[in-house]
Amino acid sequence: MSEDRPTLPPVRLHSEAELARDALAAPLLTRAVRLARWAGPKTRVGAGGELVDEQLPSAAEELGLGGADGDGPAFASEAWRIAVDTGLVEAQDPQEDDAEYGTVGAGENLALITAGGPQDILAIWRDALEAVHADATAPVLADLADAIGEDGEIDFAALDWDPEAESAFLDGVLGNLYLLTVTEGGAGEEPVPLPALAASMIVPDDMGEPTDDVLEQVSEAMMRLDDQFRLLEPIGLVEYRPVDAALMAEEGVAGDEPVPPVDDEDVTRYGMVKLTPLGLYGIRARMREAGIDAPAVGDLADKGADALLDGLANYPELSARAETEQWLARRAVADAARELLAAARGTDAGAPLRRLHCQQALTLVGPQAEPAVRAVLDDAELGGLARVWLAERGATDVPAPSEAMIFWLAIDTIAAQLDAEGEVEELQDLVEGLVGRHSGFFEAAWRVEHPATAEVLEAMGRLHPDKRAAKEARKAAFKARSRAGG
């Protein structure tokens, strides 16, 4: 009945203020800000804005990472690149013809770190994420050195590196991780094993037992992802537990990739990763820039009731309730009830599901909605749900529905459930209950003036476990189609 649903469920994001605080606390951005404030008239940079080697130890000391020894200079160089790429510092060309190095000044974004709002901070953080993403998909430096020709140009053919393919692979992994996080019943806030993420991109869905070649590809992907997630963690995108280095020795040959674990092994040793709340925000922002529909709870809060009820068709139960609560919070109860009931009307294919979501939304409102609900008691499309709402609140003066309304509501309810969930087991109980409570149900049902009558009866024929009842449903569906001229 329904059209194809978007593949991405809505995400529940933290507030922009909370996300901005997380962004400022990300270690890599924190270091970039510190170096931007440390830079002065004596700071020297190369042609690409990179900090000269001689000043890297001083930068590392400023960051509390030691001097020339250890990894401090490398971390300082990384943080400096982020400062340049995010506009925290601005590299300036040499002022004199014979000058060897350029200088730097404060970038226009540096003042926004303290004076800007959450959106300003998040924009800076997204620029930093793009820079780190580019680093994560760049070729390994050792391979890069071997691919530089005599003319100084990089021979990409010799490098065997496809930048678009590398970026697409990482984006695919991050997209899968996002989907696992936002899907109800998925990983949620739990970390995901690295082998599972790698396999999600490599192992075909219809493959039973992976071949040795496929397992080798998964192992190689795991090690590449291990490097990439180590880069992405300092920007605050993920929480990551790296692959246990001891696995290399256990494989027997130094440098071999670890074989993906079997069922009884400790999978955590093979790497575990989860998106942070800031990471969810960042991946969603990247997907939306790529034209992917990635909704968030709250997107519909400032829209009309028609947009809410149509939009909820794509939301799982918990997200639908949260979205509806935000929508209701912005409106007076009586006004909200009138808007919802008006938007629930219609004879189009999506109307039954709109009415179902309207009914569910009305369960969240108080007695101030009663006048609006009573006003539709005589409405052919809304009178049934109005009676249900009033009965659930103990009203005793509700007029009994006509038989026509009872059967119309039954058809409408099943049509909505089919649209929302497909032919699931829960629907069998609904179908059996309706047929059991009303003798001659199918003889009356095929006469119901509802656009979905024939489709609903056909579905009841598939769902009802009693062969005789199923046959009656199919005969009733045929009558309904004949009656409608179809």
Side-chain angles (χ1 to χ4, degrees), residues 10 91 219 283 430:
S219 296
I283 298 305
L430 176 60

Side-chain angles (χ1 to χ4, degrees), residues 410-411 413-414 429-439 441 460:
I411 294 295
T413 300
I414 297 177
D429 294 335
L430 176 60
V431 168
E432 286 187 76
L434 284 171
V435 176
R437 285 195 301 271
H438 300 281
S439 60
F441 177 89
M460 294 180 76

Side-chain angles (χ1 to χ4, degrees), residues 334-350:
D335 293 338
R338 281 191 294 270
E339 287 185 48
L340 288 167
L341 289 165
R345 288 189 174 94
T347 58
D348 57 283

